[in-house]
Amino acid sequence: MTAEVLVNVTPSETRVVVVENGILQEVHIEREAKRGLVGNIYVGKVSRVLPGMQAAFVDIGLDKAAFLHASDILQPVTSQTGSQNDGPAHKDITELVSQGQFIMVQVVKDPLGTKGARLTTEITIPSRYLVLMPRSEHVGVSQRIENDEERERLKGLTESLSDDEVGFIVRTAAESVQEDELKQDAEFLRRVWKKVRERRQRKSKGGVLYQDLNLASRVLRDMVGVEVERIRVDSKLAHQQLVDFVEEFIPEVVNRVELYEGERPIFDLFDVENEIQRALDRRVTLKSGGSLIIDQTEAMTTIDINTGAFVGHRNLEETIFNTNVEATQAIARQLRLRNLGGIIIVDFIDMQNADHKRRVLHSLEQALAKDRARTSISGFTSLGLVEVTRKRTRESLEHVLSSECPVCKGRGTMKTVETVCYEIMREIVRVHRAYDADKFVVYVSAMVAERLLNEESHALAELEVFVGKQIKIQTESLYHQEQFDVVMM
């Protein structure tokens, strides 16, 4: 599979998109004011220890305290021989950290919604081919490298690079690389770790020790298994920075990095701007006429498939099967494009044929195999739903580009004009019984005012007789539909 990477840079925002076979597949956005934190290393102060949750909150200088669970704290374990090995701690959180303590931590998950960043004390620093693990002698090889001989070769080469202080994990990109390239990577990572330790000694009161690469460099570094045909950048400075990065880490793609100097905006090349707008829509139309309905909530994302105008050519069962198979490709693309993670529930159109169900699941597995984020799929439940989990380390596209509606507060619906009118009448009766007023002035939106003075004018007149007071309706152009005020005069 070939891919093209487009990089759009402005002073306040960097956007990187991945286009495969002319179709937009991924969107990455990084804003200077809210730069991603995953991979950053900090000295943080433990602000609160929660024994009931076996966790602690750590202040690393963000608006919200970060979260550190006991299972993410590594402690040296002394064996019978007296040697020390790093391993996951199974102690009580109160034995591992204490309030006011300064510890070195790394962000493994960005703040999401109302949740703070997720931390670990198991520091890892990635490069092109290796991941360095301080205080560990472990050497591992990516499971995506399936050839046993190649795995043994890489493990043998990497073991010679590790020692008592650091261990390494071999990344998928290291398949078939030579010893010299692995050595260069290992030396670079050791230099980075040395700088981190030096900064740690100087910063006794907290602060940033290490920040991950910029967005464009991270995307290229992590595009393992994808043949990048071209990388186009519309900023001279960003272009030079990217060239410097790939010359050191990905020299085979240096000749593919281009400075885009066209008159049209770079994202107009593949209609990217419109595709991003469509990725915020709830409905996704399928070529056959069917559709997906995607709803993202705090707990999970639900995807419903509808046949729509697609009536098929043979029978109903065949129509449903074909729609579901087409939907699997669209679902896989939308998960990557919108960066949806966590629990995803897919409600395929009900199928009676067991072979059709098996083939739909297989099609979904094949489509998701192209996704670099780790995904897992369970079979059909008794209710005919398919559960998918996708690793989430950053905000979804919707959360990055959108905010909660101040009118509906995230409900997605508003009270009808009729409902608001009746609420106003009940409020007038309540205020009348509680206070003594000469008359009432009701400030409402234009649509509510129109209904009160027309369709509900008879009810309003009856209310005036009931309370024995004049009721005046005043239109406020800045009020939204649900907003109103009842004022005593």
Side-chain angles (χ1 to χ4, degrees):
M1 181 184 298
T2 59
E4 184 165 337
V5 178
L6 306 180
V7 183
N8 170 235
V9 181
T10 61
S12 55
E13 180 183 62
T14 299
R15 299 185 297 170
V16 179
V17 299
V18 178
V19 179
E20 294 177 357
N21 301 322
I23 300 174
L24 179 66
Q25 296 290 349
E26 293 182 25
V27 178
H28 303 262
I29 299 175
E30 182 175 84
R31 291 170 176 167
E32 286 302 315
K34 298 181 179 178
R35 188 170 177 180
L37 305 174
V38 173
N40 289 2
I41 302 173
Y42 297 83
V43 174
K45 182 180 180 181
V46 178
S47 57
R48 191 178 177 192
V49 179
L50 304 174
M53 295 176 62
Q54 283 299 293
F57 285 107
V58 182
D59 180 9
I60 58 174
L62 305 179
D63 294 337
K64 299 173 186 174
F67 182 82
L68 176 66
H69 193 267
S71 61
D72 293 319
I73 301 176
L74 290 188
Q75 290 292 310
V77 180
T78 306
S79 65
Q80 293 180 350
T81 60
S83 62
Q84 292 205 343
N85 300 299
D86 285 334
H90 298 286
K91 297 181 180 179
D92 188 272
I93 186 68
T94 56
E95 299 178 30
L96 301 174
V97 295
S98 58
Q99 188 168 331
Q101 178 184 354
F102 286 91
I103 56 175
M104 184 162 61
V105 291
Q106 186 171 35
V107 178
V108 293
K109 185 179 290 187
D110 278 329
L112 298 172
T114 59
K115 301 175 183 176
R118 181 73 181 258
L119 304 176
T120 180
T121 63
E122 184 180 5
I123 308 298
T124 57
I125 304 175
S127 65
R128 173 62 173 163
Y129 301 122
L130 300 173
V131 178
L132 180 141
M133 299 184 298
R135 303 186 299 273
S136 172
E137 301 176 27
H138 174 73
V139 172
V141 180
S142 169
Q143 293 182 353
R144 293 190 179 183
I145 300 177
E146 298 178 352
N147 186 288
D148 291 337
E149 291 183 3
E150 179 64 9
R151 291 178 64 87
E152 287 300 320
R153 184 186 76 87
L154 290 171
K155 187 171 183 179
L157 292 175
T158 310
E159 282 177 344
S160 65
L161 302 174
S162 63
D163 53 33
D164 295 341
E165 294 184 358
V166 297
F168 294 99
I169 295 176
V170 181
R171 304 187 72 184
T172 310
E175 190 168 11
S176 302
V177 302
Q178 301 304 310
E179 183 178 4
D180 290 345
E181 295 173 284
L182 291 178
K183 279 185 177 180
Q184 290 175 2
D185 246 22
E187 289 171 2
F188 168 77
L189 289 173
R190 286 180 181 276
R191 290 196 300 269
V192 172
W193 176 235
K194 183 179 179 182
K195 290 179 181 178
V196 170
R197 286 185 299 172
E198 290 173 353
R199 291 172 185 167
R200 173 69 179 95
Q201 293 174 354
R202 294 196 301 266
K203 293 190 176 184
S204 58
K205 295 298 182 182
V208 182
L209 301 179
Y210 168 81
Q211 286 186 313
D212 203 2
L213 299 168
N214 61 44
L215 178 62
S217 300
R218 289 201 310 272
V219 171
L220 289 184
R221 181 194 68 191
D222 296 337
M223 287 190 69
V224 176
V226 178
E227 184 179 341
V228 180
E229 184 178 332
R230 189 188 301 176
I231 303 130
R232 290 195 257 189
V233 190
D234 64 359
S235 162
K236 289 184 179 179
L237 178 60
H239 172 261
Q240 188 57 51
Q241 291 174 341
L242 203 57
V243 168
D244 293 341
F245 170 77
V246 297
E247 281 180 344
E248 184 173 1
F249 292 104
I250 325 174
E252 65 270 21
V253 302
V254 169
N255 296 331
R256 302 174 200 168
V257 181
E258 302 176 5
L259 175 63
Y260 178 76
E261 298 179 299
E263 293 183 1
R264 296 171 59 198
I266 190 170
F267 277 8
D268 283 4
L269 298 178
F270 293 97
D271 197 29
V272 171
E273 298 288 7
N274 289 330
E275 285 289 339
I276 292 175
Q277 290 301 317
R278 284 191 281 270
L280 298 176
D281 292 341
R282 183 169 175 256
R283 179 184 294 273
V284 178
T285 304
L286 304 177
K287 290 182 179 179
S288 65
S291 63
L292 308 179
I293 304 297
I294 302 175
D295 288 311
Q296 188 177 350
T297 69
E298 186 75 18
M300 67 182 71
T301 298
T302 60
I303 302 177
D304 183 46
I305 294 96
N306 300 311
T307 55
F310 184 42
V311 295
H313 304 288
R314 296 182 183 178
N315 54 53
L316 179 61
E317 184 70 19
E318 197 69 24
T319 299
I320 290 173
F321 169 68
N322 290 334
T323 304
N324 283 338
V325 169
E326 183 187 8
T328 60
Q329 306 300 315
I331 289 168
R333 176 175 179 256
Q334 291 299 321
L335 293 185
R336 291 179 65 188
L337 182 59
R338 300 173 186 235
N339 192 34
L340 298 173
I343 301 172
I344 298 135
I345 304 297
V346 184
D347 184 10
F348 286 104
I349 307 169
D350 289 341
M351 295 176 288
Q352 303 302 321
N353 190 311
D355 182 58
H356 283 179
K357 289 184 178 181
R358 181 186 58 79
R359 289 162 66 184
V360 166
L361 275 180
H362 180 65
S363 177
L364 182 60
E365 288 171 355
Q366 284 189 316
L368 289 176
K370 305 169 187 175
D371 196 343
R372 293 199 304 277
R374 188 172 67 249
T375 59
S376 64
I377 306 171
S378 66
F380 282 88
T381 67
S382 58
L383 298 177
L385 306 174
V386 174
E387 299 171 5
V388 180
T389 60
R390 184 174 186 269
K391 185 177 181 181
R392 175 171 56 190
T393 57
R394 56 191 174 93
E395 293 271 23
S396 68
L397 187 65
E398 179 183 338
H399 285 163
V400 171
L401 299 179
S402 308
S403 62
E404 183 180 86
C405 171
V407 178
C408 72
K409 303 296 183 184
R411 299 196 312 267
T413 58
M414 291 176 60
K415 294 177 182 176
T416 64
V417 173
E418 185 181 29
T419 299
V420 176
C421 290
Y422 297 155
E423 285 186 356
I424 290 170
M425 294 180 189
R426 288 195 296 270
E427 180 65 11
I428 291 172
V429 172
R430 188 191 68 79
V431 173
H432 167 68
R433 290 174 175 172
Y435 305 99
D436 186 21
D438 294 331
K439 67 176 182 177
F440 295 99
V441 179
V442 183
Y443 296 91
V444 294
S445 65
M447 294 183 66
V448 175
E450 183 180 354
R451 186 173 183 96
L452 284 171
L453 296 174
N454 292 288
E455 290 94 330
E456 303 297 338
S457 59
H458 181 69
L460 193 63
E462 288 184 344
L463 182 60
E464 283 185 315
V465 173
F466 178 77
V467 299
K469 303 289 190 308
Q470 179 188 1
I471 301 173
K472 182 181 179 181
I473 305 300
Q474 183 72 42
T475 301
E476 282 291 335
S477 59
L478 297 180
Y479 276 26
H480 61 74
Q481 187 167 298
E482 293 185 4
Q483 189 175 0
F484 66 86
D485 287 303
V486 176
V487 180
M488 300 179 296
M489 303 295 288

